[in-house]
Amino acid sequence: MSNVHQLYLFRHGLAENEHPDHPGVDFERRLTERGIERTRQALAGAARLGVTPDAIWTSPYVRTLQTAALAHELLPGAAPIVVVDELACEGSNDALLLRLASSDARCLLLIGHEPNLSDLVSAVTSGRSLVRQRFKKAGLAHIELHSLQRRVVGRLVAYLPPRVLRLVGGAAE
């Protein structure tokens, strides 16, 4: 990674609750119809704000894959979707930071889960998990990244809750 890069973090949309007969099958939870609608509206807002990723990195969970497909459809440029295990609920932000440091992408959209995304914002902007900005579902953070000798450092440019993104996208609240 050289120079300045743009990193966008997006939390998946509203998903089904765990099925009472199948507890612990979190991996397979899908977006609800309302989740799909609201995520589409939030991503329309991101598009209007000029989010144009070179690649979309996503957790392998069903709800994040669905969110990534919506991002691929709605954001300009039709960025390729890459499944990144480090973005899974049990993924490692340390490993993800190493992967980010070696990426040549100028603009990345990462789609993942809480509390990982909040921890990632803190790790990139402060060097450790000190501050936690809880991501709402379909919320977006924008971080300007700089790399120093295989270490990623960044500046939080914006955190946009889903309601703001939906309004920017033209949805009536």
Side-chain angles (χ1 to χ4, degrees):
M1 181 183 295
S2 60
N3 300 325
V4 176
H5 295 263
Q6 307 306 313
L7 179 65
Y8 292 92
L9 307 177
F10 192 86
R11 185 174 177 200
H12 64 80
L14 180 65
E16 301 167 331
N17 293 326
E18 283 192 59
H19 192 280
D21 295 337
H22 307 286
V25 187
D26 188 41
F27 184 85
E28 297 176 8
R29 290 174 44 219
R30 303 182 61 76
L31 296 178
T32 64
E33 287 301 318
R34 184 173 186 213
I36 291 169
E37 177 187 339
R38 293 226 161 170
T39 300
R40 288 182 74 80
Q41 293 166 348
L43 288 165
R48 288 190 76 185
L49 291 170
V51 176
T52 55
D54 299 325
I56 300 168
W57 290 6
T58 183
S59 156
Y61 283 48
V62 171
R63 60 190 176 275
T64 53
L65 290 168
Q66 289 179 291
T67 302
L70 292 171
H72 176 80
E73 173 190 338
L74 295 167
L75 297 177
I81 297 171
V82 179
V83 175
V84 175
D85 290 336
E86 293 90 337
L87 285 165
C89 290
E90 64 281 357
S92 163
N93 276 340
D94 290 337
L96 182 60
L97 288 170
L98 289 173
R99 191 169 182 156
L100 282 171
S102 64
S103 172
D104 288 328
R106 304 284 305 154
C107 182
L108 280 172
L109 173 64
L110 275 55
I111 299 175
H113 310 271
E114 271 300 286
N116 303 39
L117 292 178
S118 293
D119 288 342
L120 183 60
V121 170
S122 185
V124 168
T125 58
S126 72
R128 44 191 131 144
S129 293
L130 293 174
V131 179
R132 185 178 255 173
Q133 168 62 51
R134 187 177 183 281
F135 268 77
K136 293 191 174 202
K137 292 179 174 98
L140 178 79
H142 175 199
I143 298 173
E144 193 173 81
L145 288 181
H146 306 267
S147 183
L148 303 172
Q149 298 176 347
R150 302 215 19 101
R151 188 170 150 252
V152 177
V153 295
R155 177 179 68 88
L156 181 63
V157 176
Y159 170 74
L160 300 170
R163 182 173 187 202
V164 171
L165 287 170
R166 291 192 308 267
L167 288 171
V168 169
E173 287 296 313

